[in-house]
Amino acid sequence: MFTVRPSVPEDIPAQRELWKLAFGDSDQYIDNFYNTYYRPDRVVVLEEDGVVQSMTAWFDTAFVLPGQGEYRAAYLYAVATHPDCRGRGLAGKLLSGADEYFRSLAIPAVTTVPAEPSLHNFFGANGFRECFRILGGSLWQEEIPLPPPNLLRPASTEEYGQVRETLLRDIPHIAYPEDALTYQAGCCALGDGGLFVGDTPAGPVCLCTERADDKLVIVKECLGASGTYRHVFPDLPRIAPARRWEIRGPRSAEFCVGVNENLGKFGMLKWLDPELEKAWNWYTVGYLGLAFD
């Protein structure tokens, strides 16, 4: 017998085991989620005969549509099924049950970022469609002029969120609450990174960095008006020393020479409200940005 329900604190050991088996993350990484964002109702589990076999966390976000308003959106995260139970359709049952839970909360939209390209087909078979794009490119150390301009400074999650919303106000995007940004900041700190903001002659900028290894830093999002990047990039060696920086953002900007096509197919959307789904123009391209990947 299968039951899909919001989690309870007693489920945490099973959740942590599923998370580690599915993604191989360290205890320290998983601790960050449970210490910064977790509440029992923010994890949905599938239970089979009293045993938790599948789970998904979710972030309570907003889908902001300029000129139309904003809609509460559940961003699915860490969708995981026990390896011994895969191939039995449990993840699909979990997603269907989670939809019913979100409807009970009057949440009209669900988003997700598949962990790998092949999973786009799985989520597509469960009602999701492509919606969110992201552009990416690389900068090498020798391509960045010195000295650094000292424009960027560490930001609190509150300040980062405020600057982020200002810079994204004209495009459809996912807005994150402060506790979700706190979780992101914790992920960054584990990778010797952080949240940064700055003021340039071309306007404000914000960016989020996370170290991949001793030579590579991922700039998980770099937001600013056209012209800001040439002021910001020389500051990267100071705030996030590396041999190479992989930079992601919503616009075709200066850094998008040699676009990473894998990033183009990024986030997916499912409307739970039939009227909103019927009215939605699927040619609309939104920006999700931070994927907590």
Side-chain angles (χ1 to χ4, degrees):
M1 179 177 176
F2 297 104
T3 302
V4 177
R5 57 171 175 78
S7 74
V8 294
E10 290 76 16
D11 295 325
I12 290 177
Q15 293 169 19
R16 293 179 65 100
E17 179 185 11
L18 288 177
W19 189 317
K20 185 170 288 190
L21 287 171
F23 308 110
D25 291 325
S26 67
D27 288 332
Q28 192 177 18
Y29 189 95
I30 299 170
D31 287 344
N32 179 47
F33 174 79
Y34 285 96
N35 291 337
T36 62
Y37 188 77
Y38 171 78
R39 289 193 329 225
D41 61 312
R42 289 175 172 175
V43 176
V44 178
V45 300
L46 179 144
E47 191 177 64
E48 181 182 20
D49 298 329
V51 179
V52 173
Q53 304 287 27
S54 190
M55 64 166 277
T56 181
W58 64 282
F59 288 91
D60 199 347
T61 67
F63 189 13
V64 181
L65 301 176
Q68 299 180 48
E70 60 181 64
Y71 300 92
R72 192 177 177 191
Y75 164 37
L76 300 185
Y77 178 65
V79 180
T81 298
H82 196 285
D84 294 343
C85 298
R86 290 173 185 167
R88 299 172 49 207
L90 269 61
K93 289 182 173 65
L94 171 71
L95 296 185
S96 178
D99 286 349
E100 292 306 311
Y101 175 58
F102 297 141
R103 288 188 181 99
S104 76
L105 298 177
I107 295 176
V110 185
T111 64
T112 194
V113 178
E116 55 187 59
S118 64
L119 290 176
H120 283 258
N121 293 331
F122 165 75
F123 283 102
N126 284 276
F128 289 84
R129 294 178 65 177
E130 307 293 342
C131 179
F132 301 98
R133 300 291 188 269
I134 196 167
L135 298 173
S138 291
L139 282 175
W140 291 84
Q141 190 178 54
E142 56 267 26
E143 296 175 322
I144 295 182
L146 295 175
N150 295 302
L151 292 173
L152 298 170
R153 65 182 187 279
S156 67
T157 52
E158 179 181 12
E159 182 182 22
Y160 187 91
Q162 290 172 348
V163 174
R164 186 179 191 273
E165 286 307 298
T166 297
L167 293 170
L168 292 174
R169 63 181 177 272
D170 295 328
I171 64 175
H173 69 277
I174 294 296
Y176 294 98
E178 189 171 343
D179 52 4
L181 292 176
T182 299
Y183 171 64
Q184 177 61 77
C187 294
C188 291
L190 291 172
D192 188 30
L195 305 177
F196 298 89
V197 298
D199 297 302
T200 78
V205 65
C206 68
L207 56 88
C208 169
T209 69
E210 191 170 317
R211 182 169 299 282
D213 56 42
D214 59 347
K215 296 181 179 179
L216 173 64
V217 165
I218 309 296
V219 181
K220 301 183 73 172
E221 68 176 5
C222 184
L223 304 178
S226 178
T228 57
Y229 303 104
R230 63 188 177 88
H231 298 287
V232 169
F233 291 165
D235 220 7
L236 289 176
R238 181 180 65 86
I239 66 164
R243 178 78 175 84
R244 180 171 68 90
W245 296 266
E246 181 183 300
I247 304 169
R248 305 174 183 176
R251 296 180 174 91
S252 180
E254 295 96 318
F255 63 83
C256 293
V257 177
V259 171
N260 183 337
E261 296 295 340
N262 290 329
L263 289 176
K265 191 176 181 181
F266 192 68
M268 305 181 78
L269 168 70
K270 173 164 59 176
W271 287 108
L272 300 180
D273 183 304
E275 293 302 317
L276 290 174
E277 181 181 26
K278 182 179 179 180
W280 182 248
N281 179 359
W282 285 101
Y283 288 102
T284 302
V285 176
Y287 176 72
L288 188 146
L290 300 171
F292 310 126
D293 52 341

